[in-house]
Amino acid sequence: MINFRIAKIILVFSSLLYLSVSFLRNYNSPENIEKRCILKFEKDFKNNLETSHEEWNQFLDLADNNYLKCMGIPQY
């Protein structure tokens, strides 16, 4: 009876560990990081028709910098 409880505990902990590792591997994959960064980039990229050309260029530069920072690409 005690061996069965120990086996259940080991099984539960090993299952949780496996699920945690697989989740983190999937969450931190380059494709998923890029998808999350693109979504953040698109929020900054929305164009308002009332913005001037200079202000729009500043928005684009800010969005581009945020995208590069999110992807982990060093900026010069």
Side-chain angles (χ1 to χ4, degrees):
M1 194 69 157
I2 293 176
N3 290 337
F4 182 68
R5 284 185 181 179
I6 292 173
K8 278 196 325 187
I9 291 172
I10 291 172
L11 182 67
V12 167
F13 281 124
S14 62
S15 298
L16 288 175
L17 180 65
Y18 174 75
L19 289 174
S20 299
V21 168
S22 64
F23 170 77
L24 289 174
R25 188 181 321 146
N26 185 32
Y27 185 77
N28 291 327
S29 70
E31 295 86 18
N32 287 335
I33 292 173
E34 185 176 2
K35 287 178 188 176
R36 288 193 304 270
C37 291
I38 287 175
L39 287 175
K40 288 181 184 178
F41 177 76
E42 286 175 349
K43 288 179 186 176
D44 293 337
F45 191 67
K46 294 190 181 192
N47 186 2
N48 187 356
L49 296 176
E50 299 173 1
T51 58
S52 66
H53 184 68
E54 294 82 19
E55 193 175 9
W56 178 242
N57 284 337
Q58 289 177 350
F59 285 145
L60 287 178
D61 288 340
L62 178 65
D64 190 38
N65 289 338
N66 288 342
Y67 178 75
L68 292 175
K69 186 193 315 182
C70 181
M71 288 294 292
I73 300 172
Q75 299 175 13
Y76 48 90

